[in-house]
Amino acid sequence: MLPALLLAPALLLGCAQGPTLDQRLSTFVGRGEADLVAALGVPVRVHEAEGRRFLQFEQRRAVAVAQPPALYGPAFGPWGPRYGYWPAPPAIAELGCELTFTLRDSRVETFSYRGQGCG
């Protein structure tokens, strides 16, 4: 029984995931604009209003999405023609995430994000 009790924490640690997006982005709060650009690249949009500077970054990634089986015509294999259901090739979906950082006095004050690809 004792080995099972010692093994349980190890199994739980195996399921642990890394830091969340909020935790990763919060490391930029208080840092300068140069640090932000060095880490994330050149922003796609920059806007200034009421003493604040807004930097927007975009991230895009393509993911394969499984399709339901579809009826295909004859397929010729080593045993001759076959009819039936065959797996459809996966579709490609593009997921995007927009990150916006608010800077005041050249330091990151806050951040926000939106999109299906955030996470």
Side-chain angles (χ1 to χ4, degrees), residues 45 58-62 94-98 115 117:
R45 288 181 199 82
E58 289 182 357
Q59 297 178 339
R60 304 239 178 260
R61 62 186 166 112
E94 184 178 69
L95 299 178
C97 180
E98 295 177 356

Side-chain angles (χ1 to χ4, degrees), residues 9-29:
L11 291 175
L12 290 175
L13 288 176
C15 297
Q17 295 192 4
T20 65
L21 181 60
D22 284 320
Q23 292 168 335
R24 292 190 314 255
L25 294 179
S26 66
T27 62
F28 292 110
V29 174

Side-chain angles (χ1 to χ4, degrees), residues 33-72:
E33 182 175 347
D35 291 337
L36 192 61
V37 172
L40 299 177
V42 178
V44 293
R45 288 181 199 82
V46 178
H47 182 74
E48 294 190 29
E50 298 179 12
R52 291 190 179 118
R53 186 171 169 90
F54 300 89
L55 304 179
Q56 184 177 5
F57 298 87
E58 289 182 357
Q59 297 178 339
R60 304 239 178 260
R61 62 186 166 112
V63 295
V65 179
Q67 297 291 323
L71 181 62
Y72 285 91

Side-chain angles (χ1 to χ4, degrees), residues 1-2 5 13 19-20 26 32 35 52 55-56 64 69 72 78 80 83 90 96 101 108 111-113 116-117:
M1 184 73 174
L2 185 59
L5 290 175
L13 288 176
T20 65
S26 66
D35 291 337
R52 291 190 179 118
L55 304 179
Q56 184 177 5
Y72 285 91
Y83 293 86
F101 291 87
V108 176
F111 62 87
S112 63
Y113 54 87
Q116 294 178 334

